[in-house]
Amino acid sequence: MLSFEAGGQERLVEVKTTGFGKEAPSWVSANELAVSRQEARSYHLYRAFSFRKEPRLFIKSGALDEVSRLAPETFRAWVR
């Protein structure tokens, strides 16, 4: 999502939400990772958690692989 800073600069926002706690993992697409790397200076992850009971939020700025620990979970496979 495109948003703007108070000074007018672009702010790219990715929101990930969970009903679980702050440490619960979320899914990140290859495209989200690529954009976060290309636009690290304006990229922000908004992480909403404990959404069902007591919604909370924290924000991380920069490339997703710099502010998160990533683990591959899915692969695209073509049959030969």
Side-chain angles (χ1 to χ4, degrees):
M1 171 182 2
L2 180 58
S3 186
F4 296 92
E5 303 284 350
Q9 307 94 315
E10 287 187 2
R11 171 181 273 237
L12 297 174
V13 175
E14 181 64 43
V15 180
K16 299 291 183 181
T17 305
T18 183
F20 300 107
K22 183 177 182 177
E23 304 296 323
S26 61
W27 298 100
V28 175
S29 72
N31 186 60
E32 290 167 341
L33 178 57
V35 170
S36 78
R37 287 174 174 165
Q38 290 173 338
E39 306 292 339
R41 291 175 53 188
S42 62
Y43 197 91
H44 302 274
L45 170 66
Y46 283 55
R47 181 72 166 131
F49 62 97
S50 298
F51 202 71
R52 294 180 198 146
K53 296 179 182 177
E54 185 181 344
R56 307 280 306 250
L57 175 77
F58 67 86
I59 301 169
K60 296 284 187 173
S61 300
L64 290 171
D65 55 349
E66 296 292 327
V67 300
S68 308
R69 182 173 50 91
L70 301 179
E73 295 272 336
T74 307
F75 296 88
R76 183 179 303 192
W78 289 265
V79 178
R80 295 181 202 189

